[in-house]
Amino acid sequence: MTKGELLYEGKAKMVYETDDPNKLLVYFKDDATAGNGEKKGTIQDKGIINNKISTFFFKLLKTHGIESHFIEQVSDREMLVKMLKMLSLEVVVRNVAAGGLARRLALEEGTILKIPVIEYTYKNDDLGDPMLNRYHIMALDIARVHELDEIEHIAFTVNTVLKNFLRAKNVDLIDFKLEFGRDERDKIVLADEISPDNCRFWDMTTKEKLDKDRFRLDMGGVEEAYKELLTRLIA
Ligand code: ADP
Ligand code: TMP
């Protein structure tokens, strides 16, 4: 596999063509942003850790029958993936109130939700990723009803698998964001990454944050938290 042209540079990753038109090389950067790019910084070795953690989770999900775009980890910072036509959608699953939900509904952070909640946002930086419901998504032709059903099924299954796995590592899965795309046969496939950048992980006993909230909230100990999560996963 040879690395081709840079197709896209995002806030956290760079996406390259390869010699196979159906495969992309994703390069994980140390760049970190928060608040739709208003806060910018770097988290040392984040790219290496997130590539490892995402690889770990995509492999774990595969053992539970959940397919993703993941093909293989090819270097410290690079992952080979299936090229997909991405949906302009962010799919958030929440088990516990935190962040945006806690603010929006004036819930105390840490309030356990009676059932897991799914939320959608329009992946559009210019509009600040506004919230959407299923009707908006269908009205804007972002996805069709059977695709939304499939997305919800995958998102809730990911939640169950990760929550159960993490519980054994004394980590609580608070919430997370997923992205999906369509493959060459228009099948919905899980994509992007699953890492402390797009999930909230709390130590079950101390409630210590092991994710990007430490960067968002200027709490310090960011690199240490990412490393701690990786260490627990592979222990
Ligand atoms: P952002 O675009 O939000 O700044 P990143 O820096 O993480 O995000 O850039 C990675 C980009 O690659 C994202 O836009 C994401 O939607 C896209 N992407 C993720 N997986 C795939 C895939 N399998 N095929 C095509 N694009 C993908
Ligand atoms: P929120 O509470 O800020 O809405 O975030 C919910 C989850 O989604 C949290 O785990 C962080 C993740 N997330 C992203 O990955 N990208 C984003 O742009 C936002 C707003 C949240």
Side-chain angles (χ1 to χ4, degrees), residues 11 33-36 90-94 97-104 119 121 123 125 128-129 173-179 192 195-201 211-213 216:
K11 297 185 286 292
T33 62
N36 200 22
E90 299 196 329
V91 180
V92 173
V93 176
R94 302 180 186 269
L101 181 72
R103 278 194 299 278
R104 211 180 317 130
E119 291 174 354
T121 65
K123 193 170 157 63
D125 285 341
D129 297 345
L173 179 63
I174 305 302
D175 58 33
F176 58 91
K177 182 266 296 178
L178 301 176
E179 293 187 26
D192 207 47
S195 76
D197 268 18
N198 58 351
C199 305
R200 287 193 173 94
F201 302 112
D211 57 59
K212 195 176 165 190
D213 266 356
R216 295 186 187 102

Side-chain angles (χ1 to χ4, degrees), residues 8-13 15 24 26 69 81-86 90 123 125 179 191-193:
Y8 174 78
E9 176 159 7
K11 297 185 286 292
K13 302 191 285 299
V15 180
L24 297 173
V26 177
H69 70 160
V81 304
K82 265 182 229 163
M83 183 167 69
L84 301 173
K85 284 165 275 163
M86 296 301 287
E90 299 196 329
K123 193 170 157 63
D125 285 341
E179 293 187 26
D192 207 47
E193 66 176 284

